[in-house]
Amino acid sequence: MARKAYAQVVTGNALLEGHVVYLTAQGTWSTALTDAEILRDEADAQLRLLSAMAQAATVVGAYLADVDPDAASPKPLHFREAFRRDGPGHYVYPAGRI
Amino acid sequence: MYYQSEFDADYLASRNTQFRAQVERRIAGQLTEDEFKPLRLMNGLYLQLHAYMLRVAIPYGSLNSAQMTKLADVADRWDRGYGHFTTRQNIQFNWPALRDVPDILDALAEVGLHAIQTSGNTIRNITSDHFAGAAADEISDPRPVAELIRQWSTDHPEFQFLPRKFKVAVTGSPTDRAVTRAHDIGLRMIRRGSETGFEVIVGGGLGRTPMIGKVLREFVALPDLLDYLEAVISVYNLLGRRDNKYKARIKITLHETGEEALRAMVEARFAELRGTYPGSMDALSDIAARFRSPDLPPREHRIFTAAKAQDPVFRAWADTNLTTHKRADYAIVTVSLKAHGAVPGDATSAQMRLLADLARQFGQDELRISHEQNVILPHVALDDLPALHAALLPAGLATANVGLISDIIACPGMDYCALATARSIPVAQAIATRFEELQLEHDIGALKIKISGCINACGHHHVGHIGILGLDRGGVETYQITLGGDGTETTSLGERTGPGFAYDEIVPAIERLIAAYTAVRTNAQETFLATYRRLGMAPFKAALYDGDTSDAA
């Protein structure tokens, strides 16, 4: 059996807003996981992470998160990453509810 | 209610100026995150899963209307229109932007609120009995002493870098509503003859290694209190393990050092320190003078009695949400923040404003936040209760469930928290909604369910009659159940039932537990906890894990 396919994205929190952000192929940051670049080579991923960590005035706590190697668009493997992508289930209090 | 002095106001202003400069330097890139993090934590600012979180202290859970209104203003202006009241009587704002935090802190300082020492390895917000100053069973109001400890511990130069965080709770009543035995130091007021003092309980705590505190000294007289506290914490500061975060709390220090040895060291240090704070009693009487006890005019109870007879909704609420006040013509009102399906402890800005208005109108301008994540109006005349209830009803604040199965403590869990290993909020919502559908909760009676989304136990699951702990087991949310915990003066830690349950299995599991309880209790007056203490784990374990029983339920 071939070794497990490798797929990760670089993610962290934006310094100013604290929001979850992902590193895109253009080297910019997006709040949408769908914009993230899927890194399929481990050495490349480490380099991208280092460059992300160097952007200390933009992003806090950058790290590599696993995504589904078989999916075309980035899809979290762990439920924690799914919650980071989706946000809390309950924060919208409808207008009028008091 | 405590009214701050000029000294308090100047201190807050200077702290906020300092933090504003630190934030600016961080944004300008002059501070790294490693340098900035301890500075922001000292000011209550965390970085959570989705955003920053600002934890604002509500010292000993007491607020006045102006302060509650200011919390609502902060929620509207800088956050998303709501806040979350926590199990340590604090409030957390979940969405502040970094640049806005100094402005938020300045706004809070206008009403004497702050976020100092709500994080970091310091002495945290001093918690207390949420019925303090109103409860019929109280020896004396513990809040002046709590305020004295707050002032002593704030910016205490020796205790800014303790081995780990340090939590203190104070109660003035023999009925323990402050979970004193699960704190690093729990103080229980005692009267010996004419002398007031405290029993000092040390080394309690939940978290990874739950322990019930030990009585380190049976009686410390009030004039010695600060000296003795200083002795305990300075001994801990020296002994506490800095090599291992998980062994750094004083409960481990006590366990590893031994109770006798620790007591001897504290006594030796106390002998050295005695007299360090000769002005503490003067400071205390100055503080006590700033706690203005409301003048409660004598009132009738005819309107109250009539409303109870005529309105079953009011009666159900009055039966569940009121506690005996020291004055027979008044009541302590617990406003439930646990409407069925709501997020435990969350309040919208509109709810906060309404509560502030109602406290002004009916409640002597006083509000309390309980560690059980509800809001208390401590002094309401019986005859004002029908009008109060009518005002709470349309705001979703009149749920008659205090102390019942849907009055659940839940930490934010993985909906917000960076440390969480599973969600807790939706579990609480699902349990509350389910038992509301079944219309069983009043029949089930007194029952405390407490849910934590990780081993750190912010949801106090170890002291829940039913505790639920959410874990990550191989990438799947899994919930362990403990039974028989108790956070009152008869403290006990819950015992694990066995293997955990998946997210979609946990509500049916709780339902089976409850069915087992109602089947085996001697009568409707025997509570879940009493039944568990009488029968032990066996019937509940069978209900949870025995296939036949679960099919029958």
Side-chain angles (χ1 to χ4, degrees):
Chain A
M1 199 64 200
R3 93 191 161 99
K4 226 174 110 186
Y6 183 90
Q8 287 188 313
V9 297
V10 178
T11 181
N13 290 78
L15 172 70
L16 293 181
E17 298 295 330
H19 296 167
V20 174
V21 288
Y22 302 94
L23 188 63
T24 69
Q26 292 73 43
T28 58
W29 294 91
S30 168
T31 53
L33 177 58
T34 46
D35 292 339
E37 179 187 19
I38 302 180
L39 304 163
R40 296 185 183 278
D41 177 82
E42 195 169 352
D44 183 35
Q46 290 299 333
L47 282 175
R48 298 287 281 167
L49 176 61
L50 281 176
S51 78
M53 287 164 78
Q55 300 179 42
T58 313
V59 165
V60 181
Y63 65 96
L64 291 164
D66 291 329
V67 291
D68 184 349
D70 301 324
S73 172
K75 189 178 157 212
L77 280 185
H78 193 277
F79 63 87
R80 185 177 196 270
E81 289 303 323
F83 293 136
R84 284 184 80 242
R85 175 194 60 191
D86 298 341
H90 316 283
Y91 70 86
V92 180
Y93 288 98
R97 179 197 146 157
I98 101 162
Chain B
M1 192 64 225
Y2 178 72
Y3 289 86
Q4 63 167 357
S5 66
E6 268 172 48
F7 172 80
D8 298 326
D10 291 348
Y11 172 70
L12 288 187
S14 75
R15 271 291 292 249
N16 289 349
T17 307
Q18 199 179 58
F19 186 55
R20 183 180 293 278
Q22 289 161 350
V23 169
E24 279 164 13
R25 277 149 65 205
R26 174 68 183 103
I27 291 173
Q30 292 160 351
L31 289 174
T32 65
E33 185 61 18
D34 284 349
E35 289 163 337
F36 180 63
K37 189 176 173 185
L39 300 174
R40 69 168 157 80
L41 289 178
M42 277 179 197
N43 291 283
L45 187 64
Y46 286 74
L47 184 54
Q48 293 284 51
L49 272 190
H50 313 291
Y52 287 99
M53 178 272 279
L54 182 66
R55 181 183 293 155
V56 177
I58 300 174
Y60 29 88
S62 280
L63 287 172
N64 59 31
S65 302
Q67 290 172 324
M68 185 63 116
T69 305
K70 186 63 80 176
L71 296 176
D73 293 346
V74 168
D76 280 339
R77 178 154 180 208
W78 291 288
D79 210 270
R80 295 192 181 177
Y82 70 103
H84 176 76
F85 292 105
T86 76
T87 57
R88 291 209 79 252
Q89 299 180 310
N90 296 310
I91 185 169
Q92 295 181 172
F93 293 106
N94 291 303
W95 306 97
L98 178 57
R99 214 185 275 285
D100 293 336
V101 174
D103 292 340
I104 299 175
L105 293 175
D106 281 346
L108 293 168
E110 288 169 16
V111 292
L113 290 174
H114 62 79
I116 296 165
Q117 289 179 209
T118 59
S119 176
N121 294 335
T122 57
I123 299 170
R124 300 289 189 89
N125 185 34
I126 312 300
T127 55
S128 187
D129 182 350
H130 42 266
F131 295 160
D137 58 8
E138 174 173 276
I139 299 168
S140 169
D141 189 341
R143 293 174 302 156
V145 172
E147 172 62 21
L148 179 72
I149 298 170
R150 186 190 74 80
Q151 294 185 8
W152 160 80
S153 64
T154 299
D155 246 3
H156 191 303
E158 193 179 331
F159 302 148
Q160 292 305 299
F161 294 95
L162 292 169
R164 197 78 177 86
K165 60 184 160 187
F166 203 93
K167 299 177 182 175
V168 179
V170 192
T171 175
S173 162
T175 310
D176 189 353
R177 288 174 287 257
V179 212
T180 56
R181 283 171 180 76
H183 279 76
D184 295 285
I185 292 182
L187 296 171
R188 291 184 54 236
M189 194 185 288
I190 287 175
R191 197 151 272 169
R192 273 195 183 173
S194 61
E195 203 176 18
T196 301
F198 285 90
E199 177 185 79
V200 182
I201 303 161
V202 170
L206 303 176
R208 179 175 301 259
T209 318
M211 289 189 185
I212 296 172
K214 300 267 202 309
V215 177
L216 204 63
R217 204 173 210 267
E218 282 176 12
F219 188 81
V220 175
L222 202 44
D224 291 332
L225 184 64
L226 290 187
D227 300 333
Y228 189 78
L229 291 178
E230 183 128 341
V232 173
I233 301 177
S234 71
V235 166
Y236 161 63
N237 201 15
L238 277 179
L239 290 184
R241 288 183 56 176
R242 288 178 155 84
D243 63 318
N244 184 341
K245 168 179 178 176
Y246 302 123
K247 296 188 173 176
R249 296 288 287 271
I250 195 172
K251 60 190 171 186
I252 307 291
T253 312
L254 183 133
H255 184 73
E256 290 184 345
T257 311
E259 193 182 329
E260 277 313 309
L262 188 74
R263 182 176 292 119
M265 292 172 81
V266 168
E267 287 297 326
R269 184 74 182 131
F270 177 46
E272 288 168 6
L273 287 172
R274 209 161 182 184
T276 302
Y277 296 102
S280 72
M281 290 306 279
D282 290 343
L284 184 61
S285 59
D286 183 49
I287 290 167
R290 289 176 168 278
F291 270 90
R292 294 174 205 164
S293 264
D295 253 339
L296 302 176
R299 294 288 301 269
E300 300 286 316
H301 55 83
R302 259 174 287 177
I303 303 171
F304 172 69
T305 311
K308 261 187 102 166
Q310 287 155 18
D311 178 356
V313 177
F314 175 73
R315 185 168 61 240
W317 177 81
D319 285 345
T320 325
N321 294 33
L322 302 182
T323 306
T324 311
H325 194 276
K326 58 187 174 188
R327 278 272 299 270
D329 47 348
Y330 283 75
I332 303 170
V333 176
T334 301
V335 176
S336 171
L337 293 182
K338 321 285 179 64
H340 301 99
V343 176
D346 273 16
T348 64
S349 56
Q351 288 175 325
M352 293 183 218
R353 282 206 179 85
L354 177 70
L355 288 165
D357 289 346
L358 294 173
R360 240 179 244 121
Q361 196 180 347
F362 300 116
Q364 309 291 333
D365 204 38
E366 288 205 24
L367 299 130
R368 307 285 169 74
I369 306 304
S370 73
H371 78 271
E372 298 185 308
Q373 301 177 293
N374 290 316
V375 178
I376 283 97
L377 299 174
H379 313 285
V380 183
L382 293 181
D383 268 1
D384 288 338
L385 289 169
L388 174 73
H389 179 255
L392 291 171
L393 210 50
L397 290 172
T399 312
N401 65 344
V402 170
L404 302 181
I405 192 169
S406 60
D407 183 11
I408 297 171
I409 287 189
C411 72
M414 206 180 268
D415 282 291
Y416 294 96
C417 179
L419 300 172
T421 44
R423 289 170 292 173
S424 35
I425 290 170
V427 175
Q429 291 174 311
I431 293 170
T433 309
R434 179 64 185 142
F435 283 92
E436 168 72 354
E437 281 165 12
L438 296 172
Q439 290 289 306
L440 275 178
E441 73 176 332
H442 288 271
D443 178 53
I444 295 162
L447 178 60
K448 292 186 190 297
I449 297 188
K450 301 181 197 273
I451 309 175
S452 303
C454 83
I455 199 166
N456 293 309
C458 294
H460 294 186
H461 63 275
H462 300 108
V463 292
H465 303 165
I466 298 178
I468 300 176
L469 166 63
L471 295 169
D472 172 358
R473 285 281 182 261
V476 179
E477 285 172 294
T478 304
Y479 295 87
Q480 282 180 358
I481 296 176
T482 47
L483 299 178
D486 175 7
T488 70
E489 62 280 4
T490 46
T491 314
S492 56
L493 299 173
E495 224 184 305
R496 246 183 78 186
T497 55
F501 297 86
Y503 181 75
D504 56 1
E505 293 170 351
I506 184 69
V507 179
I510 299 301
E511 228 180 298
R512 292 202 299 280
L513 272 180
I514 298 304
Y517 154 63
T518 49
V520 299
R521 66 182 174 185
T522 48
N523 58 49
Q525 274 67 53
E526 192 182 41
T527 62
F528 181 90
L529 185 62
T531 306
Y532 175 82
R533 283 180 171 165
R534 178 171 58 86
L535 293 175
M537 185 69 88
F540 301 105
K541 221 170 161 156
L544 284 178
Y545 301 107
D546 180 332
D548 294 340
T549 313
S550 76
D551 287 343

